[in-house]
Structure formats: structure tokens, C-alpha cells
Amino acid sequence: MTAFLVVAVLQRDALFDFARENHLALVLGDAPEDEAAASEPEAEPEPVPETPAPQGVRVVARHSQAEVVDTAVILRGQTEAAREVNVMAETSGLVVSDPLRKGAFVEQGQLLCELDPGTRGASLDEALARLEEAEARVPGIEAGVPEAEARLQEALARLDEAEINARAAKALKEDGFSTDTRVAATAAAVRSAEASVSAARAGLEIAKSGLKGAQASIRTAEAAVAAARKEIDRLEVRAPFAGLLESDAAELGTLMQPGALCATIIQLDPIKLVAYVPETEVARVELGALAGAELAEGRDVAGQVTFLSRSADPTTRTFRVEITAANPDLKIRDGQTAEIAISTAGVAAHLLPASVLTLNDDGTLGIRSVTSDSTAAFLPVTLLRDTREGVWLAGLPETVDVITLGQEYVESGVRVIPTYREATAEVSQ
């Protein structure tokens, strides 16, 4: 090591010259043979003209084809009993029957309240007696009518005889075979016969009038009997139809007056679903259309439209619609909230994700589409139905390119650069 250091110090200049020569040899050895050509700078490649980037807003779009779908008018309503009536007393009296409790089911004609008859039975007996009396007088009066008619016929016959005798006496007198006394006597006989005819006619009219009076008495007595029996029938207040008692029947011992409440009955089978249709939707609803409803408890109900009002509510400008549905188990109650869907004719619509919906400056609901010249356009839509797969929109052309991403960053007439995606992927988003 000492010797190496001594050599390096003493021969420093020779070592530097040796290292410099080796470095040049290494550099020249890697160089090309044509040193002149190698020394020339390489030519720069000619620049390639750049294609100008397209101008526009990049959006994501999809092709959509319209389909015919069943539509429905969606309403919010409630259930309503098919019939409800307050059964009231028609006469006065004390209740003598045990009351039926609310919630009980009653059949048509079942007794609800019975009242004390009091003296109504005696009134009926009196009316029956008067009827019998009136009916007993009729045969005698009826027999007098033929007798009076016979008297009238006899008087008419005597009148004819007297007139014949008078004419004969007058003719004989003219021929000189009769006296004035004979003529006067026959004339007097004619006047007497005429008086008898008048009396017979008056007697016949009296007989007929008496018969009419007797018949009127019979009808009066019959009316009194009917009234007495009706009054007795009113003592029993019965159910007008089968249903449920919504209130207790009148308590035993209650004094009832005409118009006093005996009980309230409701009929729940069938049940009615009642809602109100706005003016914009009423033309789509038809009588007999199928309808369904979902109650607040989750129960599904199906029925048909049985009534559609022709007159709008003056306050809300809506039209009452009624749907009748079966309720055999009576589990659907009166007054439950229901979401009602009434089926209507099918229309052409597009199934699109709800995220494509937007509003224009006027607040109109719609979507933005890509036109044939690659510009954005706003198209108003009508929302038909909201489903898990997307929303059904009407009011669009048969085919349309819908902007599904970026629609909020473009306006009508703005040039866009669409990238199209599959419909399934868009709807699933």
C-alpha cells in the first residue's frame, strides 16, 4: 500500500495523461465510422396536423321505443257503506222489547223495537164493528132500488094509457061522439100519471142515493179498520234490510215519539269505494270499468265503477265516482282510506328511469332528447305510472333518443356529443 501511494504521488502527471487517452478511445470507439455524418444534427420529424376536437357538451343517451301499456286513473278515496239508515218510530208508545246491541247482525224484517199497544186493539174492534154495521145496511138498500125501478115503470105505463085515452076522447069529441066532460077527465088522468112518473123517478134516485151512502159508509169503515191495523203494525219497528247495527236499539221502557230513533243500520256487503276525479281525468273514466284499491291496512279490493257524477262539486271542481266491490266477510269497514286505481284504455308510452325527468323554465315536466342534428331538445311528458323498473311517460314520439345523464347541463338548441348506452342498464340505474 505504501509503495502504491508513493508511485501515485511521484507519477501523478503520467497517470492523468493515461486516463485522458483511454476516455477518448472509448468515446471514439462508440461513434459511427462516418464522423462527418455523425456530427450532423438529426432532422426533426415534420409535424402531423391535429384533428380539431368536436365542439359540444358530452351527454349519455339511450334509444327508447314506445310500448302500448294499460293505464289507470289513480285516486285517493275511502270506503263507504252501500246503505245506511236511521230506523225511526212512526207512532208513540213505551218500548216493551229488550234492546239489540250495536255490532249485531240483523236480517231483513227482524224486530228492532216493539211498542206497547195501549188501546189500539179496542180502536180496531170499534172500526170492525162499524164496518159490519155498514155492510148489514147494504142488502136492504140494494133491494129498494129494483122496487123503485118497478114503480117507475108502472107509472110510465099508466102515463101512456092516460095519453091514449085523452087522444081518443078528443077525437070522439071532434066527431060529436064524446062530451067535454070525458075529454077533461082524460086530460086530468094524463096529468096524474105524469105526477106519478115524477114521484117514481124521485123514489128511484133516493134509493140509488141511499145505496151510494151505504157503500160510502162501508168504505169509511174499511178505511178506519185499515188505519187501526196500520197503527198496530207501527208498534213493531223492523229492519228494512240485512246489515249491522251501528248503534244500540232503544232501551226497554223508553217513551218513543214519531221520529224518535230506534236504531241505525249499515249495509257493508257490497261495499262502496268513493273518490273524486279531477276535471283533467274524468273523461278517461267509464261506467263498468274495472277498478282496484289498496286499503291502508294493505288489503286489496277489486270492483267495478257503478256511478260517475255528471255534476262537479262547486268547490273542488271534481266529480264523484263510486266503485262497488264484494265484502262477504264484512272485514272492510265504513270510512277506511283507500288508494284507488281505475283502469282505462291503453296508450303508447316509454319506460324510462325517473332520473331523466326535468323541468323547463316554465316549470313543465319533461325530458331532454337528442335531435337528428345532435342538438338538445326539451319534450314535455305526462307521467302515467311509477314502477320499480322506472316511470311510464306518455306524450313522446314513437322513437326518441333520451338524454339520461347530463340533461341538467344543456338547454334546447345546444349541440351535444351523445354516448349511447343499453336501455336495460339505464333503467336499472
Side-chain angles (χ1 to χ4, degrees), residues 341-418:
I342 303 174
S343 63
T344 60
V347 296
H350 293 259
L351 179 61
L352 297 169
S355 58
V356 304
L357 295 174
T358 186
L359 298 174
N360 64 2
D361 294 339
D362 297 329
T364 304
L365 182 68
I367 57 99
R368 286 193 169 88
S369 64
V370 180
T371 63
S372 58
D373 58 353
S374 297
T375 59
F378 179 84
L379 299 177
V381 298
T382 300
L383 178 62
L384 298 180
R385 190 185 307 166
D386 188 359
T387 66
R388 295 180 180 179
E389 294 77 18
V391 290
W392 287 98
L393 304 177
L396 297 174
E398 178 107 9
T399 58
V400 63
D401 294 338
V402 182
I403 299 176
T404 59
L405 188 61
Q407 70 272 21
E408 299 295 345
Y409 302 102
V410 295
E411 296 181 352
S412 297
V414 173
R415 183 169 296 278
V416 295
I417 305 173

Side-chain angles (χ1 to χ4, degrees), residues 158-236:
R158 289 179 179 175
L159 176 60
D160 291 340
E161 181 183 3
E163 288 176 345
I164 292 171
N165 291 334
R167 286 194 298 270
K170 186 175 182 181
L172 290 173
K173 182 180 180 301
E174 291 176 354
D175 293 337
F177 297 102
S178 179
T179 63
D180 292 338
T181 304
R182 175 69 176 172
V183 173
T186 55
V190 170
R191 289 193 292 273
S192 176
E194 289 176 347
S196 298
V197 169
S198 298
R201 282 177 176 166
L204 179 60
E205 292 298 327
I206 292 173
K208 289 182 177 179
S209 177
L211 179 60
K212 290 181 180 178
Q215 292 173 343
S217 298
I218 291 175
R219 289 193 294 270
T220 302
E222 288 175 343
V225 170
R229 285 175 174 167
K230 185 63 178 178
E231 185 68 12
I232 292 176
D233 290 340
R234 289 172 177 165
L235 297 174
E236 295 181 345

Side-chain angles (χ1 to χ4, degrees), residues 42-161:
E42 296 182 0
E44 295 183 359
E46 296 182 1
V48 179
E50 296 182 357
T51 302
Q55 300 296 319
V57 180
R58 294 188 178 275
V59 295
V60 177
R62 55 160 285 191
H63 301 292
S64 179
Q65 180 73 32
E67 302 178 33
V68 177
V69 296
D70 294 331
T71 59
V73 176
I74 308 299
L75 305 171
R76 187 175 181 84
Q78 65 180 19
T79 60
E80 189 174 289
R83 289 192 288 182
E84 180 175 354
V85 63
N86 294 324
V87 185
M88 299 182 178
E90 298 181 75
T91 187
S92 59
L94 291 174
V95 177
V96 295
S97 60
D98 293 329
L100 298 175
R101 297 307 178 187
K102 56 186 175 184
F105 184 83
V106 294
E107 297 289 349
Q108 182 177 1
Q110 183 173 340
L111 181 64
L112 301 178
C113 300
E114 183 178 3
L115 306 182
D116 182 19
T119 61
R120 292 176 177 85
S123 299
L124 176 59
D125 293 338
E126 181 182 358
L128 288 171
R130 289 179 179 175
L131 175 59
E132 292 176 358
E133 181 183 356
E135 291 174 342
R137 290 199 303 267
V138 171
I141 298 174
E142 288 180 341
V145 174
E147 183 179 351
E149 290 177 345
R151 290 196 188 100
L152 175 60
Q153 295 300 324
E154 181 181 0
L156 290 172
R158 289 179 179 175
L159 176 60
D160 291 340
E161 181 183 3

